[in-house]
Amino acid sequence: MQGNDYDVDEGNFKKGAFKPIAIGIGGLAVLGGIVFAVLAVKGESEKLGVKEIAAERKHIYVLSKAEAVPKWRSWAARNDVPALQQEAFAELAWAKDPAGLDLIIKGLASDDHRVRGTAAQAILEYGSPTADAAKPALLKALQEADSSDKPQISWALATLHEGSAFEAVLSEYRLGHLSKVQRLDGVPAFDPELLAGMVPLEKLATYATDESESVRQLIATVLSRTGDAKWTGVLIKLVQDKSVEVAREAAVGLGRIGNEDAVGPLLDALSRADKNSRLKFLEALRDGVGAKGLILAIRSVSHDNPEREKAQTRQLFEMMRELADPRGGDMLVQYIASNPKPHWKTEAALRLAEIGDVRAATTLGWRLKQDPLKLYNKVDDPELVRDDNERVVSARMLADLAVLHPDKRNDILSVAEDGAVFWTTDLPQPHANGMRFLAAAGSARGLTLLRKWADPKDPLPKEGQQDFPPTWATAQSALRYVGMTKDPASWGLLEKQLNRKPAKVDATMDSLMQGGLAVLGMTLRGLGVGASDGFAEWGDPKAYPTLTKYIENPENNEQSRIEACFALSWVATDDQLGEVVKKVHEFNKPDPKNALIRACYLETLVHRPAQSATRGLVNVLDPNVPLEVRHQAARAIGFGGVTPDVAKQLEAKLTDPNTRSDAVLALLIGGDVDQATRAVASYNDVAAEALEEIKDIYNRSFGYWSDKNYEKGDVARWIRNAQACAHVKVNGALQDWPKLILSRALQGIETDNGPHSVTRVNLRVRLVRDAKGADAQKREDAIAILKFMKEKGVLLALRSEPAPLGELARQAFFEVMNPKATDERIPAAATKEEKDKPQ
């Protein structure tokens, strides 16, 4: 946080930080209220030393929640050790403990203003109406507050909608003090919507001409959120404000209202804005109105200069892509119907497909028929004739639509099959995305082509051959998508290509480097990978013996054998997975060939573990077992979900430095919140290097995301555990790293990443469906995942839904727009080679 601006909610909101002198006061006000900055309390060492405090904290953190809460209540009731009393307030608030709330309310009368400030922050966790009983104590504390606790107390009253305190709270806002208020975990707390909720809108509107720029910005923001046409006049005046921060917030309201009275001044403001101001307006429209605002802004694009027109239009479509607002469908369809230039027509269709709108198929099917060399020219669109990316992405989006709308596949084929067949047969080599669409949509013509591509008539490359035949390169992808069709007549084709290796040929990587076998070996590798992926897509258990035989043949290519182990994840029954666990124990010799097979079978158990099977891997978490084998076993145990008896075995390993990290990994991925947080808390008083180790192996545990990870609730469990760890202290610091790592990994989901992988488009649409469904748990889980993925457009759209969905989405959107400032160090994102699923 720097200067007097702070990124929050719908844009860069000043929150009252206006006068420079006030900023200094605000900064001082926070020093007493920042979470847990209280250990150096005068005289505290005479009552309980720093070491004793740390020991007590460590002791409580490793207790179960049922055991820890009474301990925290005890400390919350004591006022002789303020450090632990404040920490107790935080823990009880995070636990939403009713008895703890009573103790926190009593803390508002403490003689120590720091304790009062923390108590006020704790009230935020309970919210209204749960904490409404705290209002009298807060009002009294506000009268006695000083600079160290007044911002927190003021904001607690705003959160509880105590209208009688509005003027006092507004005064704190004017001074810029509220902008620094944080929740107990350091997440920014200020939300203009809560401040506005203290009084009727009619009263707020009277401040529209206030001399304070920050107050005018507040009014513009609050009135804009209503979308009510009765505020059009006020917003027109505010959009012309000398401050661009005020004007951009008013632009949001005019965009939401959307009638001609409102749109005219909005477009005028956009057309008059310089480059930097225009960007601020567009960002406000994006984050406040969503796709509707950005599509409206197309009308403001300058046509004076072709390059400027192109740049401004591209900017809008890129912002729409990043936002992915599901409410933009109708306006995008209208835009396409206006027959814009081919590139923008394609871009609009892609934006439609990215929100799962099947109406995109017609335009995308048309685009597949268009050769970029004929559609564009080197003078007007030099960048568009250099590659075929538009058709590559169009085919990918069509495949996603076919997966999302199985009931509409015939309709999709009717408008896009011809284009896909034309594109895939017009080029020397068909693109994998075209194959994927034909398979996903159930195209009969596509199946014929896939079988042809998967089984070339050309002979296998000969020893010493230097050139790699393109037909065999195509076969790898074709085999995968043949498996996706589940065509009974094609089963033998997959078996044939998996076992295509001549008996006397060694296809291992070492062999490829000598003897002139490189091209033949890579061809065999591709066939093994493709056939394995085909079996994985098919998912039939009868492939199990075929794949295990292939895996255990030491002369088959190592990379294709690993892919075959991945395929076992999708074909094996639970009983067969139990056999795989036995194989992990059987292939335990230290020689490289045994080690490869063991690691390979662990790959199976990581990607689709069965709880009944993976529990048999706990004894692999042994210091005598190679490190990477232990890590993979820990992942498999975790991904399978940890049962209570397995949790006890893992917790017993937390005391051994040689097995701690693997036990923590398994509990963090597969345990419940209580087990995960206690495991992370075990790092108190442990060398910093040990904490860095668990960060690293946790970071390398996520890379391949399957549809089953979501369906089984795995992703939701990982998020719950990661969020809970953000409330755990290790050596005095809250542990944000699981949340940061997992969020980054989820944001990395984009395109198809192998059999049964989930794309961002598919996951996004499924999350919206579950968020709007009747299942309360699925609704909460969907919102949590959308928040971790930072899906601003979806959350923005869901905010307008009735309670409880609307409020869940509103809070999640606020947190996405107001991330916690942290200097937490996390490992660099894993490379493709480091991720579990081979690329």
Side-chain angles (χ1 to χ4, degrees), residues 235-293:
L235 291 170
I236 288 174
K237 291 180 180 178
L238 289 169
V239 84
Q240 299 166 349
D241 197 279
K242 60 184 179 182
S243 165
V244 68
E245 282 81 9
V246 175
R248 73 178 185 188
E249 297 302 331
V252 170
L254 295 175
R256 274 194 176 149
I257 294 168
N259 59 33
E260 285 305 313
D261 289 341
V263 170
L266 168 62
L267 296 178
D268 182 60
L270 280 169
S271 63
R272 288 187 293 103
D274 59 30
K275 185 176 180 179
N276 290 334
S277 296
R278 179 180 172 83
L279 177 60
K280 291 183 178 181
F281 273 107
L282 294 179
E283 288 174 341
L285 286 171
R286 178 196 64 195
D287 299 335
V289 183
K292 176 183 175 183

Side-chain angles (χ1 to χ4, degrees), residues 74-302:
S74 175
W75 281 110
R78 293 175 56 174
N79 59 12
D80 56 329
V81 186
L84 281 175
Q85 186 180 29
Q86 290 174 268
E87 192 150 355
F89 287 171
E91 294 298 330
L92 293 171
W94 286 327
K96 300 292 192 295
D97 180 52
L101 177 58
D102 294 335
L103 295 168
I104 290 166
I105 292 173
K106 291 179 181 177
L108 291 168
S110 171
D111 293 333
D112 191 325
H113 285 278
R114 291 165 297 185
V115 173
R116 292 189 184 196
T118 301
Q121 287 176 295
I123 298 295
L124 303 181
E125 303 298 325
Y126 290 95
S128 182
T130 304
D132 283 356
K135 288 180 181 180
L138 284 167
L139 288 168
K140 185 175 186 298
L142 182 64
Q143 300 302 315
E144 303 166 353
D146 63 17
S147 61
S148 68
D149 60 355
K150 195 170 186 179
Q152 298 94 309
I153 294 169
S154 296
W155 192 244
L157 285 163
T159 302
L160 300 182
H161 315 296
E162 179 50 52
S164 67
F166 177 71
E167 293 297 340
V169 175
L170 188 63
S171 294
E172 285 295 292
Y173 169 78
R174 286 177 181 278
L175 293 170
H177 294 176
L178 297 186
S179 64
K180 308 292 185 181
V181 177
Q182 298 176 334
R183 303 185 78 89
L184 289 164
D185 56 3
V187 173
F190 179 80
D191 182 350
E193 193 168 314
L194 293 179
L195 178 55
M198 298 179 73
V199 294
L201 283 176
E202 286 71 18
K203 179 173 181 178
L204 280 175
T206 63
Y207 291 89
T209 57
D210 195 275
E211 65 178 14
S212 167
E213 176 186 329
S214 56
V215 171
R216 298 197 307 277
Q217 185 184 4
L218 171 69
I219 305 311
T221 301
V222 173
L223 297 183
S224 290
R225 287 183 178 174
T226 68
D228 192 333
K230 77 177 184 178
W231 303 116
T232 302
V234 178
L235 291 170
I236 288 174
K237 291 180 180 178
L238 289 169
V239 84
Q240 299 166 349
D241 197 279
K242 60 184 179 182
S243 165
V244 68
E245 282 81 9
V246 175
R248 73 178 185 188
E249 297 302 331
V252 170
L254 295 175
R256 274 194 176 149
I257 294 168
N259 59 33
E260 285 305 313
D261 289 341
V263 170
L266 168 62
L267 296 178
D268 182 60
L270 280 169
S271 63
R272 288 187 293 103
D274 59 30
K275 185 176 180 179
N276 290 334
S277 296
R278 179 180 172 83
L279 177 60
K280 291 183 178 181
F281 273 107
L282 294 179
E283 288 174 341
L285 286 171
R286 178 196 64 195
D287 299 335
V289 183
K292 176 183 175 183
L294 295 174
I295 298 169
L296 277 174
I298 293 175
R299 293 164 55 182
S300 73
V301 168
S302 171

Side-chain angles (χ1 to χ4, degrees), residues 26 102 166 199 216 248 302 393 495 519 587 608 714 795:
D102 294 335
F166 177 71
V199 294
R216 298 197 307 277
R248 73 178 185 188
S302 171
V393 180
E495 291 182 319
V519 174
F587 288 95
R608 185 182 156 260
D714 295 339
L795 293 171

Side-chain angles (χ1 to χ4, degrees), residues 12 115 367 391 412 514 542 658:
N12 185 18
V115 173
R367 183 61 187 85
R391 290 199 284 186
I412 296 172
Q514 50 192 309
K542 70 180 181 181
N658 296 304

Side-chain angles (χ1 to χ4, degrees), residues 404 707 710-711 762-771:
L404 282 169
D707 45 11
Y710 175 62
E711 291 170 9
N762 285 338
L763 182 56
R764 178 191 294 134
V765 174
R766 294 176 70 174
L767 289 167
V768 172
R769 290 173 181 172
D770 282 348

Side-chain angles (χ1 to χ4, degrees), residues 518-556:
V519 174
L520 174 60
M522 293 309 294
T523 299
L524 295 173
R525 172 204 169 277
L527 291 175
V529 169
S532 296
D533 285 349
F535 283 128
E537 293 282 10
W538 203 310
D540 192 322
K542 70 180 181 181
Y544 178 83
T546 303
L547 289 167
T548 53
K549 182 179 179 181
Y550 183 83
I551 291 161
E552 294 175 17
N553 183 341
E555 292 190 338
N556 284 327

Side-chain angles (χ1 to χ4, degrees), residues 533-598:
D533 285 349
F535 283 128
E537 293 282 10
W538 203 310
D540 192 322
K542 70 180 181 181
Y544 178 83
T546 303
L547 289 167
T548 53
K549 182 179 179 181
Y550 183 83
I551 291 161
E552 294 175 17
N553 183 341
E555 292 190 338
N556 284 327
N557 182 267
E558 296 92 337
Q559 293 176 356
S560 58
R561 289 159 72 193
I562 290 174
E563 198 72 14
C565 283
F566 170 78
L568 280 184
S569 304
W570 301 105
V571 308
T573 63
D574 284 0
D575 287 343
Q576 288 170 334
L577 287 174
E579 294 177 17
V580 172
V581 172
K582 292 179 182 177
K583 289 176 180 291
V584 169
H585 288 89
E586 291 168 3
F587 288 95
N588 62 357
K589 297 181 177 60
D591 65 279
K593 291 183 178 180
N594 267 265
L596 174 70
I597 295 173
R598 188 184 207 187

